[in-house]
């Protein structure tokens, strides 16, 4: 059953109500997505004198970036570009054209955060040609690839890249390739009725100030779009793996891989290719936050748990920063996900013979079968290099993750050759082709 139970719904609504009241938010909506469908929606406060609904529009802010990124990845999958390509290979004469597409997607290009214009979020935008004419070496703040540095400017450049390669505007490309196929028909560049008005709430009094809203033009790919909670729930389902025909599962997984981190050694927040990443409480979340004057929004998906969460608010600042993860915690407490039932599966007898202990020198490893002829090789007791492998047409296996990601595993009856490392059934088996030879064990 998709919908949450009554007790769960009450606990979720109470958490939302506390956030709206204590943080003094004019209106606040939130939703839980489970197994690809909305399992709970809640709204507090007022929009034009009525409670907000799943059809009320709010501004997405930087969540727009993740949708632009999907079009870039589609271009890559079509062979139109490579992520390692420099920008000027596709935008001849572009400023800072040596920066790569992957660096722009992951905010590792070293670009300045904001454009050399007036405060772009609060003023009408400038055309792409004018923005690019203003960009120069001074907008490069760090050596490309050195570190994560969030850049709105980078996504303005990616929006122009999409426009040039698709022969249309970035917005039309996003609508045709992402929004319409996903049924997100209430996601628009400018607000439509009913929509929330963006407000700033006075820090020391219960009064509000209406924030301005403009067409950001060239900076639109960084934060222009508006959407409803209903549409953003569909986006959460997409991020969780319900990609329809918009993107291949492997490409979405690639977007969720960490490319940069923004808080040091034991990171809890980072960035993939157009997606923000977070690791609260053991979860691995992918999605994006968004803010524009008068609006805050967040959407996260937990693909492993089959859940997503979102909220949308019409306030410039002031939320606690814990709402989304608290809602996930409540769902886990009241309705923990049941693990999938285990069932036996047929196995290739030749592969079955490969399972069990192998040794990397003296270190024991366990080889297990995975679905669809996949293999898992991991140290016994942990504490070493573990990877999964998928079969290839030439009879080898390709590493999916860990130290051996992208490396080739070759299987022989008496040994495994993993990118020159030879694994044997017994520690340094003298009957196997161990490089360097084996002299024998002795006291």
């Amino acid at each position: 059953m998709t919908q949450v139970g009554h007790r769960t719904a009450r606990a979720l609504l109470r958490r939302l109500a506390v956030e709206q009241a204590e943080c003094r938010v004019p209106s606040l909506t939130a939703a839980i997505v489970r197994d690809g469908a909305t399992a709970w929606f809640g709204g507090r406060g007022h929009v034009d004198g009525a409670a907000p609904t799943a059809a009320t529009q709010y501004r997405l802010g930087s969540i727009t970036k993740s949708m632009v990124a999907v079009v870039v990845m589609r271009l890559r999958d079509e062979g139109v570009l490579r992520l390692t390509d420099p920008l000027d290979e596709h935008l001849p004469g572009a400023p800072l054209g040596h920066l790569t597409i992957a660096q722009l997607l992951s905010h590792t290009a070293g670009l300045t955060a904001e454009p050399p214009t007036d405060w772009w979020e609060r003023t009408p935008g400038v055309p792409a040609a004018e923005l690019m004419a203003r960009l120069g070496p001074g907008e490069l703040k760090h050596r490309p690839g050195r570190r994560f540095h969030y850049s709105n400017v980078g996504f303005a450049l990616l929006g122009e890249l999409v426009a040039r390669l698709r022969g249309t505007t970035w917005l039309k490309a996003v609508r045709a390739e992402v929004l319409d196929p996903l049924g997100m028909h209430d996601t628009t560049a400018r607000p439509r009725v009913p929509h929330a008005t963006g407000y700033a709430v006075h820090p020391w009094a219960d009064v509000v100030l209406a924030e301005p809203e403009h067409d950001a033009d060239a900076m639109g790919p960084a934060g222009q779009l508006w959407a409803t909670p209903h549409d953003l729930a569909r986006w959460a389902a997409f991020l969780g793996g319900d990609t329809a025909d918009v993107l291949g599962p492997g490409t979405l997984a690639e977007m969720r891989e960490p490319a940069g981190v923004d808080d040091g050694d034991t990171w809890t927040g980072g960035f993939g290719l157009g997606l923000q990443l977070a690791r609260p409480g053991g979860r691995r979340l992918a999605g994006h936050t968004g803010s524009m004057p008068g609006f805050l929004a967040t959407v996260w998906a937990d693909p492993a748990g089959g859940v997503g969460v979102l909220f949308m608010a019409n306030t410039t600042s002031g939320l606690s920063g814990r709402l989304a993860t608290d809602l996930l915690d409540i769902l886990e407490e009241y309705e923990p996900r049941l693990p999938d039932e285990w069932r036996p599966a047929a196995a290739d007898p030749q592969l079955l013979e490969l399972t069990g202990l192998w040794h990397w020198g003296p270190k024991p490893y366990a080889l297990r079968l995975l679905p669809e002829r996949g293999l898992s090789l991991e140290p016994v007791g942990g504490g070493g290099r573990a990877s999964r492998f998928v079969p290839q047409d030439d009879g080898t296996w390709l590493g999916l993750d860990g130290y051996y990601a992208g490396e080739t595993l070759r299987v022989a009856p008496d040994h495994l050759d993993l990118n020159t490392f030879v694994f044997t059934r017994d520690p340094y088996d003298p009957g196997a082709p161990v490089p360097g030879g084996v002299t024998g064990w002795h006291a």
Side-chain angles (χ1 to χ4, degrees), residues 347-351 369-375 389-391 395 397:
D348 184 327
Q350 291 182 321
L351 291 183
L369 291 189
L370 300 176
E372 299 181 0
R373 298 176 58 83
L375 301 175
F389 300 84
V390 290
W397 274 261

Side-chain angles (χ1 to χ4, degrees), residues 253-273:
E254 182 181 358
M255 294 178 70
R256 294 192 299 244
E257 295 171 0
V261 299
D262 63 2
D263 58 357
D265 297 333
T266 56
W267 69 276
T268 58
F271 223 92
L273 296 174

Side-chain angles (χ1 to χ4, degrees), residues 251-313:
T251 298
L252 179 58
E254 182 181 358
M255 294 178 70
R256 294 192 299 244
E257 295 171 0
V261 299
D262 63 2
D263 58 357
D265 297 333
T266 56
W267 69 276
T268 58
F271 223 92
L273 296 174
L275 293 178
Q276 281 181 280
L277 310 173
R279 300 195 306 180
R283 296 187 182 93
R284 296 182 69 92
L285 304 180
H288 218 292
T289 59
S291 68
M292 290 294 281
F295 293 96
L296 295 171
T298 289
V299 58
W300 292 118
D302 176 4
V307 297
V309 64
L310 64 97
F311 70 78
M312 310 178 83

Side-chain angles (χ1 to χ4, degrees), residues 90-427:
H90 304 283
L91 287 178
L96 305 167
H98 63 291
L99 303 176
T100 71
I101 295 168
Q103 288 170 341
L104 295 171
L105 282 170
S106 60
H107 298 278
T108 58
L111 270 176
T112 182
E114 314 302 341
T117 64
D118 293 333
W119 188 343
W120 71 273
E121 298 169 321
R122 296 178 57 83
T123 58
V126 300
E130 181 177 343
L131 175 63
M132 291 203 292
R134 296 188 186 192
L135 298 177
E139 274 62 62
L140 197 62
K141 305 300 182 181
H142 306 282
R143 171 175 54 79
R146 177 187 174 194
R147 56 167 294 165
F148 171 86
H149 184 69
Y150 193 86
S151 176
N152 288 295
V153 177
F155 270 79
L157 293 173
L158 288 172
E160 183 63 10
L161 173 74
V162 166
R164 296 278 187 93
L165 294 180
R166 287 305 195 209
T168 185
T169 67
W170 71 269
L171 180 61
K172 288 181 179 179
V174 168
R175 175 156 301 287
E177 300 183 39
V178 180
L179 302 179
D180 285 348
L182 293 178
M184 297 173 61
H185 303 304
D186 288 314
T187 301
T188 59
R190 302 301 291 278
R192 59 95 177 113
V193 177
H195 69 85
T197 298
Y199 290 114
V201 179
H202 196 286
W204 314 121
D206 292 332
V207 293
V208 298
L209 176 94
E211 294 271 29
E213 183 274 334
H214 301 284
D215 184 342
D217 208 328
M219 290 300 298
Q224 182 67 46
L225 294 179
W226 294 67
T228 62
H230 177 272
D231 275 14
L232 196 56
R234 180 63 186 93
W235 187 244
F238 170 86
L239 295 175
D242 185 5
T243 60
D245 295 325
V246 170
L247 210 60
T251 298
L252 179 58
E254 182 181 358
M255 294 178 70
R256 294 192 299 244
E257 295 171 0
V261 299
D262 63 2
D263 58 357
D265 297 333
T266 56
W267 69 276
T268 58
F271 223 92
L273 296 174
L275 293 178
Q276 281 181 280
L277 310 173
R279 300 195 306 180
R283 296 187 182 93
R284 296 182 69 92
L285 304 180
H288 218 292
T289 59
S291 68
M292 290 294 281
F295 293 96
L296 295 171
T298 289
V299 58
W300 292 118
D302 176 4
V307 297
V309 64
L310 64 97
F311 70 78
M312 310 178 83
N314 61 331
T315 184
T316 299
S317 63
L319 294 185
S320 69
R322 301 182 302 275
L323 176 60
T325 52
D326 283 355
L327 293 176
L328 289 178
D329 288 342
I330 291 169
L331 183 67
E332 178 65 22
E333 177 185 355
Y334 282 76
E335 298 184 17
R337 184 180 181 87
L338 299 179
D340 294 335
E341 291 183 348
W342 177 86
R343 294 183 179 182
D348 184 327
Q350 291 182 321
L351 291 183
L352 195 59
E353 291 180 2
L354 293 176
T355 61
L357 281 178
W358 291 87
H359 295 81
W360 180 77
K363 187 174 181 65
Y365 276 69
L367 184 71
R368 293 180 171 86
L369 291 189
L370 300 176
E372 299 181 0
R373 298 176 58 83
L375 301 175
S376 169
L377 187 64
E378 57 187 37
V380 174
R385 299 166 177 172
S387 293
R388 295 172 301 151
F389 300 84
V390 290
Q392 303 298 293
D393 292 339
D394 63 359
T396 65
W397 274 261
L398 180 68
L400 284 182
D401 48 21
Y403 183 83
Y404 297 111
E407 306 290 0
T408 298
L409 169 67
R410 293 177 171 84
V411 174
D414 62 342
H415 71 281
L416 309 176
D417 184 330
L418 182 46
N419 193 30
T420 77
F421 291 130
V422 172
F423 290 71
T424 54
R425 281 297 192 182
D426 297 316

